[in-house]
Amino acid sequence: MQDHTAARAVQMAQWRDLAREALDRTLGPDSELPEQWEDSADADTWRAEVQRLRLQLG
């Protein structure tokens, strides 16, 4: 059972790393997404959610 738990922890860390990388690419200098959200009525909500995701991902 401990092997399963350890394997699961490793798998979750890998998924977390991938999610962080995807978020970084989405918000990076080559992405147009932040610009597109800038003029949106929901821009503040979007930024807050991005910040929440960053905090959750560590």
Side-chain angles (χ1 to χ4, degrees):
M1 188 66 164
Q2 288 179 352
D3 288 339
H4 178 70
T5 302
R8 177 101 172 140
V10 168
Q11 184 181 33
M12 292 303 293
Q14 291 170 338
W15 282 108
R16 191 175 301 115
D17 290 344
L18 285 173
R20 252 189 251 116
E21 289 173 20
L23 187 58
D24 288 345
R25 279 194 312 273
T26 300
L27 300 173
D30 295 332
S31 176
E32 295 177 5
L33 191 58
E35 250 178 62
Q36 292 173 353
W37 273 101
E38 201 168 288
D39 296 329
S40 166
D42 295 325
D44 290 338
T45 301
W46 181 75
R47 280 191 290 275
E49 285 300 309
V50 168
Q51 180 67 359
R52 185 187 66 76
L53 278 172
R54 282 185 182 274
L55 289 173
Q56 289 292 322
L57 293 171

